[in-house]
Every structure is written in C-alpha cells, then in structure tokens.
Amino acid sequence: MAEPELASTITCPECGHSKDETMPTDTCQWFYDCKGCGTVLKPKAGDCCVYCSYATVPCPPVQATGSKSCCG
C-alpha cells in the first residue's frame, strides 16, 4: 500500500487565501483558522474534515480507503 500524501493546499472559501499545510495522520481536523481573514473553516456536509472540503488533497484516511468519510 502506498504512503498517503500529507502535503495539501487549503483554500478559504471566504477570502480565497491559500496555504500549504501538512495534514495530520492520527486525527481528523474539524476546524481550521484561515491565515488570511481569520474565518474558522468547518467541513462541508458529508465531508469528514476541512481537508476533504477545502484542500487539494483529501485526508490520509480517505486516500487509503477511497471512502468519502473517515471519521466517526
């Protein structure tokens, strides 16, 4: 099994600010403070975390399973 990609670019839907981040492998990230405008991002309905909603690469558990949800 391939190692998950941990680098992802998260983009704020409010101001468009983008930032390269390293995703955690041991927890879901349900909140993210935009470094541009300060908006607190939360996952969209049906997504498990902010990376699955607003980033270029989904979170590591979703990469591994191909499922849309990784957190219970």
Side-chain angles (χ1 to χ4, degrees):
M1 178 181 243
E3 289 294 315
E5 185 174 345
L6 300 180
S8 192
T9 302
I10 192 163
T11 302
C12 177
E14 296 296 318
C15 72
H17 182 267
S18 294
K19 180 147 176 34
D20 295 334
E21 296 284 359
T22 300
M23 294 181 283
T25 59
D26 59 347
T27 186
C28 290
Q29 189 160 343
W30 292 314
F31 303 102
Y32 179 85
D33 294 325
C34 174
K35 308 304 188 258
C37 68
T39 296
V40 177
L41 304 183
K42 298 174 188 167
K44 294 177 185 175
D47 284 344
C48 64
C49 67
V50 294
Y51 289 105
C52 288
S53 293
Y54 304 107
T56 55
V57 177
C59 69
V62 167
Q63 291 178 55
T65 65
S67 172
K68 184 122 172 120
S69 180
C70 68
C71 309

Tab-separated table of all heavy atoms in Angstrom:
chain	number	residue	atom	x	y	z
A	1	MET	N	0.838	-1.181	0.000
A	1	MET	CA	0.000	0.000	0.000
A	1	MET	C	0.886	1.248	0.000
A	1	MET	O	1.847	1.349	0.746
A	1	MET	CB	-0.895	-0.028	1.236
A	1	MET	CG	-1.771	1.180	1.357
A	1	MET	SD	-2.774	1.100	2.839
A	1	MET	CE	-4.355	1.064	2.085
A	2	ALA	N	0.532	2.218	-0.819
A	2	ALA	CA	1.325	3.444	-0.930
A	2	ALA	C	1.125	4.327	0.293
A	2	ALA	O	0.065	4.340	0.913
A	2	ALA	CB	0.912	4.207	-2.184
A	3	GLU	N	2.152	5.069	0.613
A	3	GLU	CA	2.072	6.022	1.712
A	3	GLU	C	1.148	7.169	1.302
A	3	GLU	O	1.176	7.613	0.160
A	3	GLU	CB	3.465	6.581	2.029
A	3	GLU	CG	4.395	5.583	2.685
A	3	GLU	CD	3.929	5.187	4.072
A	3	GLU	OE1	3.540	6.071	4.859
A	3	GLU	OE2	3.942	3.981	4.362
A	4	PRO	N	0.335	7.665	2.226
A	4	PRO	CA	-0.547	8.784	1.866
A	4	PRO	C	0.244	10.067	1.637
A	4	PRO	O	1.304	10.273	2.224
A	4	PRO	CB	-1.455	8.934	3.090
A	4	PRO	CG	-0.664	8.370	4.221
A	4	PRO	CD	0.178	7.265	3.620
A	5	GLU	N	-0.289	10.903	0.779
A	5	GLU	CA	0.304	12.220	0.564
A	5	GLU	C	-0.144	13.108	1.719
A	5	GLU	O	-1.341	13.196	2.020
A	5	GLU	CB	-0.175	12.789	-0.768
A	5	GLU	CG	0.480	14.082	-1.129
A	5	GLU	CD	0.100	14.558	-2.515
A	5	GLU	OE1	-0.442	13.786	-3.313
A	5	GLU	OE2	0.354	15.740	-2.787
A	6	LEU	N	0.785	13.746	2.385
A	6	LEU	CA	0.460	14.563	3.552
A	6	LEU	C	0.414	16.056	3.251
A	6	LEU	O	-0.187	16.820	3.998
A	6	LEU	CB	1.453	14.301	4.689
A	6	LEU	CG	1.508	12.862	5.194
A	6	LEU	CD1	2.520	12.737	6.311
A	6	LEU	CD2	0.142	12.383	5.645
A	7	ALA	N	1.026	16.477	2.171
A	7	ALA	CA	1.033	17.898	1.800
A	7	ALA	C	-0.233	18.229	1.018
A	7	ALA	O	-0.626	17.502	0.108
A	7	ALA	CB	2.257	18.212	0.958
A	8	SER	N	-0.886	19.309	1.409
A	8	SER	CA	-2.097	19.733	0.728
A	8	SER	C	-2.205	21.254	0.846
A	8	SER	O	-1.728	21.842	1.813
A	8	SER	CB	-3.316	19.064	1.370
A	8	SER	OG	-4.460	19.233	0.577
A	9	THR	N	-2.829	21.869	-0.141
A	9	THR	CA	-3.045	23.310	-0.112
A	9	THR	C	-4.506	23.557	0.233
A	9	THR	O	-5.395	23.115	-0.498
A	9	THR	CB	-2.703	23.956	-1.465
A	9	THR	OG1	-1.349	23.653	-1.784
A	9	THR	CG2	-2.897	25.462	-1.413
A	10	ILE	N	-4.733	24.221	1.348
A	10	ILE	CA	-6.094	24.516	1.790
A	10	ILE	C	-6.430	25.948	1.388
A	10	ILE	O	-5.597	26.848	1.517
A	10	ILE	CB	-6.251	24.253	3.305
A	10	ILE	CG1	-7.714	24.263	3.703
A	10	ILE	CG2	-5.412	25.176	4.130
A	10	ILE	CD1	-7.999	23.630	5.054
A	11	THR	N	-7.645	26.138	0.852
A	11	THR	CA	-8.067	27.449	0.356
A	11	THR	C	-9.349	27.877	1.046
A	11	THR	O	-10.331	27.143	1.065
A	11	THR	CB	-8.288	27.408	-1.170
A	11	THR	OG1	-7.070	26.989	-1.794
A	11	THR	CG2	-8.695	28.768	-1.703
A	12	CYS	N	-9.343	29.067	1.584
A	12	CYS	CA	-10.504	29.622	2.281
A	12	CYS	C	-11.577	30.001	1.260
A	12	CYS	O	-11.296	30.731	0.308
A	12	CYS	CB	-10.093	30.846	3.092
A	12	CYS	SG	-11.473	31.670	3.928
A	13	PRO	N	-12.806	29.524	1.462
A	13	PRO	CA	-13.878	29.886	0.531
A	13	PRO	C	-14.362	31.326	0.719
A	13	PRO	O	-15.025	31.879	-0.154
A	13	PRO	CB	-14.993	28.899	0.887
A	13	PRO	CG	-14.760	28.577	2.323
A	13	PRO	CD	-13.259	28.600	2.503
A	14	GLU	N	-14.014	31.945	1.840
A	14	GLU	CA	-14.445	33.321	2.115
A	14	GLU	C	-13.552	34.356	1.433
A	14	GLU	O	-14.045	35.281	0.810
A	14	GLU	CB	-14.462	33.585	3.626
A	14	GLU	CG	-15.465	32.746	4.377
A	14	GLU	CD	-16.901	33.036	3.976
A	14	GLU	OE1	-17.241	34.230	3.799
A	14	GLU	OE2	-17.671	32.078	3.844
A	15	CYS	N	-12.230	34.197	1.582
A	15	CYS	CA	-11.316	35.230	1.059
A	15	CYS	C	-10.391	34.726	-0.049
A	15	CYS	O	-9.699	35.505	-0.683
A	15	CYS	CB	-10.475	35.820	2.196
A	15	CYS	SG	-9.197	34.716	2.842
A	16	GLY	N	-10.346	33.410	-0.263
A	16	GLY	CA	-9.507	32.856	-1.318
A	16	GLY	C	-8.056	32.643	-0.925
A	16	GLY	O	-7.246	32.202	-1.744
A	17	HIS	N	-7.700	32.941	0.319
A	17	HIS	CA	-6.326	32.747	0.780
A	17	HIS	C	-5.989	31.250	0.758
A	17	HIS	O	-6.773	30.420	1.198
A	17	HIS	CB	-6.160	33.296	2.200
A	17	HIS	CG	-4.765	33.175	2.717
A	17	HIS	ND1	-4.342	32.099	3.449
A	17	HIS	CD2	-3.694	33.999	2.601
A	17	HIS	CE1	-3.068	32.262	3.759
A	17	HIS	NE2	-2.658	33.417	3.253
A	18	SER	N	-4.824	30.907	0.230
A	18	SER	CA	-4.361	29.517	0.168
A	18	SER	C	-3.091	29.363	0.981
A	18	SER	O	-2.262	30.271	1.020
A	18	SER	CB	-4.073	29.113	-1.278
A	18	SER	OG	-5.260	29.106	-2.028
A	19	LYS	N	-2.957	28.188	1.610
A	19	LYS	CA	-1.762	27.918	2.401
A	19	LYS	C	-1.428	26.448	2.291
A	19	LYS	O	-2.302	25.591	2.382
A	19	LYS	CB	-2.009	28.282	3.871
A	19	LYS	CG	-0.800	28.020	4.764
A	19	LYS	CD	-0.713	29.013	5.875
A	19	LYS	CE	0.388	28.802	6.868
A	19	LYS	NZ	1.628	28.274	6.469
A	20	ASP	N	-0.142	26.162	2.081
A	20	ASP	CA	0.331	24.782	2.078
A	20	ASP	C	0.409	24.302	3.515
A	20	ASP	O	0.963	24.980	4.376
A	20	ASP	CB	1.706	24.679	1.420
A	20	ASP	CG	1.674	25.028	-0.059
A	20	ASP	OD1	0.602	24.871	-0.680
A	20	ASP	OD2	2.702	25.457	-0.594
A	21	GLU	N	-0.174	23.145	3.783
A	21	GLU	CA	-0.203	22.574	5.126
A	21	GLU	C	0.179	21.103	5.064
A	21	GLU	O	0.076	20.470	4.021
A	21	GLU	CB	-1.604	22.698	5.751
A	21	GLU	CG	-2.078	24.112	5.984
A	21	GLU	CD	-1.435	24.777	7.191
A	21	GLU	OE1	-0.612	24.142	7.882
A	21	GLU	OE2	-1.763	25.950	7.436
A	22	THR	N	0.590	20.576	6.196
A	22	THR	CA	0.836	19.147	6.345
A	22	THR	C	-0.317	18.570	7.149
A	22	THR	O	-0.584	19.004	8.272
A	22	THR	CB	2.171	18.880	7.070
A	22	THR	OG1	3.216	19.461	6.302
A	22	THR	CG2	2.418	17.394	7.219
A	23	MET	N	-1.011	17.606	6.573
A	23	MET	CA	-2.179	17.027	7.224
A	23	MET	C	-1.763	16.073	8.340
A	23	MET	O	-0.783	15.340	8.201
A	23	MET	CB	-3.028	16.261	6.205
A	23	MET	CG	-3.644	17.143	5.156
A	23	MET	SD	-4.665	16.232	3.996
A	23	MET	CE	-3.408	15.475	2.949
A	24	PRO	N	-2.528	16.053	9.431
A	24	PRO	CA	-2.248	15.092	10.491
A	24	PRO	C	-2.642	13.688	10.034
A	24	PRO	O	-3.551	13.528	9.225
A	24	PRO	CB	-3.142	15.562	11.643
A	24	PRO	CG	-4.259	16.293	10.979
A	24	PRO	CD	-3.663	16.920	9.745
A	25	THR	N	-1.957	12.692	10.547
A	25	THR	CA	-2.279	11.304	10.191
A	25	THR	C	-3.043	10.597	11.296
A	25	THR	O	-3.604	9.534	11.067
A	25	THR	CB	-0.996	10.500	9.897
A	25	THR	OG1	-0.165	10.535	11.058
A	25	THR	CG2	-0.260	11.061	8.705
A	26	ASP	N	-3.069	11.187	12.487
A	26	ASP	CA	-3.648	10.497	13.633
A	26	ASP	C	-4.947	11.102	14.143
A	26	ASP	O	-5.486	10.660	15.145
A	26	ASP	CB	-2.634	10.461	14.772
A	26	ASP	CG	-2.208	11.859	15.215
A	26	ASP	OD1	-2.495	12.827	14.488
A	26	ASP	OD2	-1.590	11.973	16.273
A	27	THR	N	-5.480	12.093	13.459
A	27	THR	CA	-6.715	12.731	13.904
A	27	THR	C	-7.377	13.453	12.737
A	27	THR	O	-6.722	13.802	11.767
A	27	THR	CB	-6.416	13.741	15.041
A	27	THR	OG1	-7.655	14.244	15.541
A	27	THR	CG2	-5.558	14.880	14.571
A	28	CYS	N	-8.680	13.657	12.848
A	28	CYS	CA	-9.403	14.458	11.864
A	28	CYS	C	-9.284	15.919	12.258
A	28	CYS	O	-9.272	16.245	13.438
A	28	CYS	CB	-10.880	14.089	11.857
A	28	CYS	SG	-11.211	12.466	11.176
A	29	GLN	N	-9.215	16.782	11.284
A	29	GLN	CA	-9.163	18.213	11.581
A	29	GLN	C	-10.511	18.812	11.204
A	29	GLN	O	-10.803	19.019	10.035
A	29	GLN	CB	-8.023	18.902	10.825
A	29	GLN	CG	-7.845	20.318	11.304
A	29	GLN	CD	-6.478	20.880	10.979
A	29	GLN	OE1	-5.540	20.162	10.668
A	29	GLN	NE2	-6.378	22.187	11.058
A	30	TRP	N	-11.318	19.068	12.224
A	30	TRP	CA	-12.670	19.576	12.001
A	30	TRP	C	-12.719	21.078	11.893
A	30	TRP	O	-13.706	21.631	11.406
A	30	TRP	CB	-13.594	19.099	13.112
A	30	TRP	CG	-13.831	17.620	13.063
A	30	TRP	CD1	-14.140	16.868	11.961
A	30	TRP	CD2	-13.760	16.708	14.153
A	30	TRP	NE1	-14.272	15.553	12.298
A	30	TRP	CE2	-14.043	15.426	13.654
A	30	TRP	CE3	-13.485	16.853	15.501
A	30	TRP	CZ2	-14.062	14.301	14.453
A	30	TRP	CZ3	-13.507	15.716	16.302
A	30	TRP	CH2	-13.790	14.467	15.776
A	31	PHE	N	-11.697	21.775	12.349
A	31	PHE	CA	-11.667	23.237	12.293
A	31	PHE	C	-10.321	23.696	11.753
A	31	PHE	O	-9.307	23.053	11.980
A	31	PHE	CB	-11.874	23.848	13.684
A	31	PHE	CG	-13.159	23.420	14.330
A	31	PHE	CD1	-13.163	22.450	15.308
A	31	PHE	CD2	-14.360	23.977	13.938
A	31	PHE	CE1	-14.344	22.030	15.902
A	31	PHE	CE2	-15.556	23.572	14.528
A	31	PHE	CZ	-15.544	22.598	15.508
A	32	TYR	N	-10.337	24.819	11.050
A	32	TYR	CA	-9.100	25.404	10.525
A	32	TYR	C	-9.279	26.905	10.507
A	32	TYR	O	-10.262	27.422	9.956
A	32	TYR	CB	-8.820	24.892	9.107
A	32	TYR	CG	-7.570	25.476	8.490
A	32	TYR	CD1	-6.331	24.914	8.736
A	32	TYR	CD2	-7.636	26.598	7.667
A	32	TYR	CE1	-5.182	25.460	8.174
A	32	TYR	CE2	-6.497	27.141	7.099
A	32	TYR	CZ	-5.276	26.568	7.365
A	32	TYR	OH	-4.137	27.109	6.819
A	33	ASP	N	-8.353	27.632	11.119
A	33	ASP	CA	-8.388	29.095	11.124
A	33	ASP	C	-7.670	29.615	9.891
A	33	ASP	O	-6.467	29.394	9.730
A	33	ASP	CB	-7.692	29.651	12.371
A	33	ASP	CG	-8.427	29.295	13.654
A	33	ASP	OD1	-9.664	29.246	13.628
A	33	ASP	OD2	-7.763	29.057	14.671
A	34	CYS	N	-8.413	30.311	9.022
A	34	CYS	CA	-7.812	30.897	7.822
A	34	CYS	C	-6.747	31.899	8.238
A	34	CYS	O	-6.992	32.778	9.065
A	34	CYS	CB	-8.876	31.573	6.971
A	34	CYS	SG	-8.195	32.469	5.561
A	35	LYS	N	-5.576	31.779	7.630
A	35	LYS	CA	-4.468	32.691	7.929
A	35	LYS	C	-4.643	34.037	7.229
A	35	LYS	O	-3.939	34.980	7.515
A	35	LYS	CB	-3.124	32.079	7.513
A	35	LYS	CG	-2.844	30.684	8.047
A	35	LYS	CD	-2.918	30.591	9.549
A	35	LYS	CE	-2.452	29.242	10.058
A	35	LYS	NZ	-3.466	28.307	10.440
A	36	GLY	N	-5.606	34.116	6.309
A	36	GLY	CA	-5.841	35.366	5.592
A	36	GLY	C	-6.874	36.251	6.268
A	36	GLY	O	-6.614	37.412	6.546
A	37	CYS	N	-8.066	35.695	6.560
A	37	CYS	CA	-9.154	36.519	7.096
A	37	CYS	C	-9.604	36.105	8.492
A	37	CYS	O	-10.424	36.793	9.091
A	37	CYS	CB	-10.350	36.495	6.149
A	37	CYS	SG	-11.188	34.894	6.030
A	38	GLY	N	-9.113	34.976	8.989
A	38	GLY	CA	-9.471	34.543	10.331
A	38	GLY	C	-10.748	33.716	10.419
A	38	GLY	O	-11.138	33.300	11.501
A	39	THR	N	-11.413	33.481	9.294
A	39	THR	CA	-12.612	32.657	9.298
A	39	THR	C	-12.265	31.253	9.793
A	39	THR	O	-11.230	30.699	9.418
A	39	THR	CB	-13.210	32.566	7.875
A	39	THR	OG1	-13.632	33.862	7.470
A	39	THR	CG2	-14.377	31.600	7.802
A	40	VAL	N	-13.137	30.696	10.622
A	40	VAL	CA	-12.944	29.321	11.085
A	40	VAL	C	-13.673	28.409	10.101
A	40	VAL	O	-14.904	28.449	10.001
A	40	VAL	CB	-13.485	29.122	12.520
A	40	VAL	CG1	-13.332	27.671	12.937
A	40	VAL	CG2	-12.756	30.039	13.491
A	41	LEU	N	-12.901	27.615	9.368
A	41	LEU	CA	-13.487	26.691	8.406
A	41	LEU	C	-13.940	25.433	9.128
A	41	LEU	O	-13.272	24.954	10.042
A	41	LEU	CB	-12.471	26.317	7.330
A	41	LEU	CG	-11.836	27.455	6.548
A	41	LEU	CD1	-10.910	26.891	5.476
A	41	LEU	CD2	-12.880	28.341	5.926
A	42	LYS	N	-15.079	24.901	8.680
A	42	LYS	CA	-15.619	23.645	9.183
A	42	LYS	C	-15.925	22.780	7.966
A	42	LYS	O	-16.191	23.312	6.882
A	42	LYS	CB	-16.892	23.891	9.975
A	42	LYS	CG	-16.669	24.754	11.195
A	42	LYS	CD	-17.980	25.096	11.865
A	42	LYS	CE	-17.733	26.126	12.952
A	42	LYS	NZ	-18.947	26.730	13.427
A	43	PRO	N	-15.924	21.454	8.104
A	43	PRO	CA	-16.205	20.597	6.946
A	43	PRO	C	-17.590	20.872	6.356
A	43	PRO	O	-18.532	21.208	7.072
A	43	PRO	CB	-16.154	19.180	7.516
A	43	PRO	CG	-15.408	19.292	8.795
A	43	PRO	CD	-15.661	20.676	9.310
A	44	LYS	N	-17.683	20.714	5.044
A	44	LYS	CA	-18.979	20.784	4.381
A	44	LYS	C	-19.780	19.554	4.769
A	44	LYS	O	-19.206	18.513	5.132
A	44	LYS	CB	-18.798	20.798	2.862
A	44	LYS	CG	-18.108	22.024	2.324
A	44	LYS	CD	-17.928	21.879	0.816
A	44	LYS	CE	-17.136	23.024	0.225
A	44	LYS	NZ	-16.871	22.810	-1.202
A	45	ALA	N	-21.098	19.633	4.656
A	45	ALA	CA	-21.966	18.491	4.950
A	45	ALA	C	-21.536	17.287	4.121
A	45	ALA	O	-21.315	17.410	2.911
A	45	ALA	CB	-23.415	18.847	4.659
A	46	GLY	N	-21.344	16.165	4.770
A	46	GLY	CA	-20.949	14.943	4.079
A	46	GLY	C	-19.454	14.702	4.034
A	46	GLY	O	-19.009	13.615	3.691
A	47	ASP	N	-18.649	15.723	4.358
A	47	ASP	CA	-17.193	15.563	4.394
A	47	ASP	C	-16.758	15.301	5.831
A	47	ASP	O	-17.401	15.747	6.787
A	47	ASP	CB	-16.480	16.804	3.868
A	47	ASP	CG	-16.530	16.917	2.349
A	47	ASP	OD1	-16.835	15.904	1.689
A	47	ASP	OD2	-16.279	18.013	1.838
A	48	CYS	N	-15.639	14.622	5.984
A	48	CYS	CA	-15.179	14.253	7.323
A	48	CYS	C	-14.277	15.289	7.966
A	48	CYS	O	-14.128	15.310	9.175
A	48	CYS	CB	-14.473	12.900	7.283
A	48	CYS	SG	-12.979	12.900	6.287
A	49	CYS	N	-13.650	16.157	7.162
A	49	CYS	CA	-12.713	17.119	7.741
A	49	CYS	C	-12.522	18.301	6.788
A	49	CYS	O	-12.979	18.271	5.647
A	49	CYS	CB	-11.373	16.457	8.047
A	49	CYS	SG	-10.465	15.943	6.579
A	50	VAL	N	-11.837	19.340	7.259
A	50	VAL	CA	-11.631	20.534	6.436
A	50	VAL	C	-10.770	20.250	5.210
A	50	VAL	O	-10.942	20.893	4.178
A	50	VAL	CB	-11.044	21.708	7.243
A	50	VAL	CG1	-12.046	22.195	8.279
A	50	VAL	CG2	-9.726	21.360	7.889
A	51	TYR	N	-9.867	19.288	5.301
A	51	TYR	CA	-9.030	18.970	4.135
A	51	TYR	C	-9.859	18.356	3.018
A	51	TYR	O	-9.645	18.642	1.845
A	51	TYR	CB	-7.867	18.062	4.521
A	51	TYR	CG	-6.840	18.810	5.335
A	51	TYR	CD1	-6.733	18.628	6.707
A	51	TYR	CD2	-5.996	19.733	4.740
A	51	TYR	CE1	-5.814	19.337	7.454
A	51	TYR	CE2	-5.067	20.461	5.478
A	51	TYR	CZ	-4.985	20.253	6.834
A	51	TYR	OH	-4.082	20.972	7.576
A	52	CYS	N	-10.835	17.519	3.389
A	52	CYS	CA	-11.685	16.921	2.357
A	52	CYS	C	-12.604	17.962	1.724
A	52	CYS	O	-13.011	17.811	0.580
A	52	CYS	CB	-12.490	15.772	2.962
A	52	CYS	SG	-11.465	14.332	3.334
A	53	SER	N	-12.903	19.023	2.452
A	53	SER	CA	-13.787	20.071	1.926
A	53	SER	C	-13.063	21.167	1.158
A	53	SER	O	-13.581	21.665	0.156
A	53	SER	CB	-14.557	20.732	3.081
A	53	SER	OG	-15.459	19.830	3.666
A	54	TYR	N	-11.881	21.582	1.610
A	54	TYR	CA	-11.274	22.810	1.075
A	54	TYR	C	-9.841	22.669	0.568
A	54	TYR	O	-9.237	23.665	0.186
A	54	TYR	CB	-11.285	23.901	2.160
A	54	TYR	CG	-12.660	24.159	2.700
A	54	TYR	CD1	-13.017	23.738	3.971
A	54	TYR	CD2	-13.619	24.821	1.927
A	54	TYR	CE1	-14.290	23.960	4.471
A	54	TYR	CE2	-14.899	25.040	2.411
A	54	TYR	CZ	-15.225	24.611	3.683
A	54	TYR	OH	-16.490	24.823	4.167
A	55	ALA	N	-9.283	21.470	0.561
A	55	ALA	CA	-7.881	21.321	0.178
A	55	ALA	C	-7.722	20.562	-1.135
A	55	ALA	O	-8.662	19.948	-1.636
A	55	ALA	CB	-7.108	20.627	1.295
A	56	THR	N	-6.519	20.609	-1.661
A	56	THR	CA	-6.226	19.976	-2.948
A	56	THR	C	-6.089	18.462	-2.843
A	56	THR	O	-6.236	17.762	-3.841
A	56	THR	CB	-4.929	20.549	-3.547
A	56	THR	OG1	-3.869	20.396	-2.585
A	56	THR	CG2	-5.095	22.022	-3.899
A	57	VAL	N	-5.791	17.960	-1.635
A	57	VAL	CA	-5.621	16.525	-1.415
A	57	VAL	C	-6.494	16.128	-0.227
A	57	VAL	O	-6.449	16.800	0.810
A	57	VAL	CB	-4.136	16.183	-1.111
A	57	VAL	CG1	-3.952	14.708	-0.820
A	57	VAL	CG2	-3.247	16.600	-2.275
A	58	PRO	N	-7.305	15.064	-0.344
A	58	PRO	CA	-8.114	14.645	0.799
A	58	PRO	C	-7.247	14.083	1.922
A	58	PRO	O	-6.086	13.733	1.707
A	58	PRO	CB	-9.038	13.571	0.224
A	58	PRO	CG	-8.316	13.043	-0.958
A	58	PRO	CD	-7.502	14.192	-1.499
A	59	CYS	N	-7.823	13.966	3.109
A	59	CYS	CA	-7.070	13.499	4.275
A	59	CYS	C	-6.539	12.074	4.082
A	59	CYS	O	-7.060	11.313	3.260
A	59	CYS	CB	-7.928	13.590	5.531
A	59	CYS	SG	-9.297	12.429	5.608
A	60	PRO	N	-5.489	11.704	4.808
A	60	PRO	CA	-4.863	10.383	4.642
A	60	PRO	C	-5.817	9.192	4.765
A	60	PRO	O	-5.741	8.278	3.934
A	60	PRO	CB	-3.782	10.366	5.725
A	60	PRO	CG	-3.379	11.799	5.843
A	60	PRO	CD	-4.682	12.555	5.705
A	61	PRO	N	-6.754	9.152	5.733
A	61	PRO	CA	-7.660	8.000	5.785
A	61	PRO	C	-8.545	7.875	4.546
A	61	PRO	O	-8.819	6.770	4.077
A	61	PRO	CB	-8.497	8.250	7.042
A	61	PRO	CG	-7.627	9.093	7.907
A	61	PRO	CD	-6.885	9.988	6.935
A	62	VAL	N	-9.003	8.984	4.002
A	62	VAL	CA	-9.812	8.943	2.787
A	62	VAL	C	-8.954	8.494	1.603
A	62	VAL	O	-9.410	7.715	0.758
A	62	VAL	CB	-10.484	10.315	2.522
A	62	VAL	CG1	-11.062	10.386	1.126
A	62	VAL	CG2	-11.566	10.566	3.560
A	63	GLN	N	-7.703	8.935	1.547
A	63	GLN	CA	-6.802	8.466	0.487
A	63	GLN	C	-6.649	6.952	0.566
A	63	GLN	O	-6.636	6.264	-0.450
A	63	GLN	CB	-5.425	9.102	0.632
A	63	GLN	CG	-5.375	10.584	0.345
A	63	GLN	CD	-3.978	11.130	0.562
A	63	GLN	OE1	-3.009	10.627	-0.019
A	63	GLN	NE2	-3.872	12.153	1.399
A	64	ALA	N	-6.538	6.415	1.774
A	64	ALA	CA	-6.289	4.983	1.967
A	64	ALA	C	-7.509	4.135	1.639
A	64	ALA	O	-7.385	3.056	1.066
A	64	ALA	CB	-5.851	4.707	3.400
A	65	THR	N	-8.703	4.630	1.987
A	65	THR	CA	-9.909	3.815	1.824
A	65	THR	C	-10.695	4.140	0.558
A	65	THR	O	-11.475	3.313	0.099
A	65	THR	CB	-10.852	3.986	3.022
A	65	THR	OG1	-11.330	5.333	3.046
A	65	THR	CG2	-10.167	3.626	4.323
A	66	GLY	N	-10.526	5.359	0.046
A	66	GLY	CA	-11.318	5.778	-1.102
A	66	GLY	C	-12.742	6.151	-0.702
A	66	GLY	O	-13.551	6.519	-1.528
A	67	SER	N	-13.035	6.075	0.588
A	67	SER	CA	-14.346	6.429	1.109
A	67	SER	C	-14.426	7.943	1.265
A	67	SER	O	-13.407	8.616	1.388
A	67	SER	CB	-14.547	5.764	2.469
A	67	SER	OG	-15.717	6.236	3.081
A	68	LYS	N	-15.629	8.500	1.275
A	68	LYS	CA	-15.795	9.943	1.459
A	68	LYS	C	-15.727	10.321	2.935
A	68	LYS	O	-15.571	11.470	3.292
A	68	LYS	CB	-17.137	10.383	0.866
A	68	LYS	CG	-17.369	11.859	0.926
A	68	LYS	CD	-17.596	12.424	-0.431
A	68	LYS	CE	-18.029	13.867	-0.320
A	68	LYS	NZ	-17.171	14.780	-0.963
A	69	SER	N	-15.833	9.332	3.825
A	69	SER	CA	-15.803	9.612	5.250
A	69	SER	C	-14.750	8.765	5.940
A	69	SER	O	-14.594	7.583	5.624
A	69	SER	CB	-17.166	9.318	5.866
A	69	SER	OG	-17.135	9.579	7.250
A	70	CYS	N	-14.035	9.363	6.869
A	70	CYS	CA	-13.000	8.613	7.570
A	70	CYS	C	-13.168	8.669	9.078
A	70	CYS	O	-12.554	7.900	9.795
A	70	CYS	CB	-11.617	9.173	7.231
A	70	CYS	SG	-11.340	10.835	7.885
A	71	CYS	N	-13.995	9.582	9.540
A	71	CYS	CA	-14.092	9.813	10.983
A	71	CYS	C	-15.494	9.453	11.464
A	71	CYS	O	-16.467	9.759	10.824
A	71	CYS	CB	-13.818	11.277	11.286
A	71	CYS	SG	-12.292	11.861	10.540
A	72	GLY	N	-15.516	8.877	12.633
A	72	GLY	CA	-16.826	8.501	13.152
A	72	GLY	C	-17.213	9.278	14.349
A	72	GLY	O	-16.576	10.072	14.894
